Amino acid sequence: MPVIAYAFVLTVALLAGPAIVLANAKPVPGEIVLVISPNERGRAALIQRSGGRILGPETALLGALAISDNPDFPDTLKSDGAWFVLDGRQFALLCGVAI
């Protein structure tokens, strides 16, 4: 098997674990969530419109951490246009940060 095939298999194997963890990370109402949406500028408005606030000064190209006291916050974000709303604590653990 060519070296490229080995590299591809290794890359998929290394990325599969974190991808599975994030895909199964259901948001907990009242806790930190990872909001994934298409528009970085519109994301802040989306989060505010849904009754939450962005955590931290930094956001990523497709995501931001947010929190709200509203128990329906994850569902509201999805209905307002977020692609995915995941458990932010699980995402932080993958990055080496305990919240």
Side-chain angles (χ1 to χ4, degrees):
M1 192 182 307
V3 174
I4 293 174
Y6 284 119
F8 176 75
V9 170
L10 180 62
T11 302
V12 169
L14 290 174
L15 295 178
I20 291 170
V21 169
L22 282 178
N24 290 316
K26 304 296 180 208
V28 178
E31 295 288 337
I32 297 169
V33 296
L34 172 63
V35 181
I36 299 174
S37 63
N39 184 341
E40 186 176 2
R41 290 184 182 165
R43 188 176 312 114
L46 167 72
I47 292 169
Q48 288 178 345
R49 189 172 55 246
S50 299
R53 64 183 174 87
I54 292 179
L55 293 176
E58 298 294 326
T59 62
L61 181 61
L62 292 175
L65 292 174
I67 193 166
S68 174
D69 293 330
N70 178 2
D72 297 326
F73 184 53
D75 294 329
T76 305
L77 283 166
K78 288 180 189 173
S79 67
D80 284 350
W83 287 346
F84 301 101
V85 180
L86 305 171
D87 185 349
R89 294 172 302 159
Q90 294 294 325
F91 178 75
L93 285 174
L94 285 174
C95 296
V97 178
I99 297 176

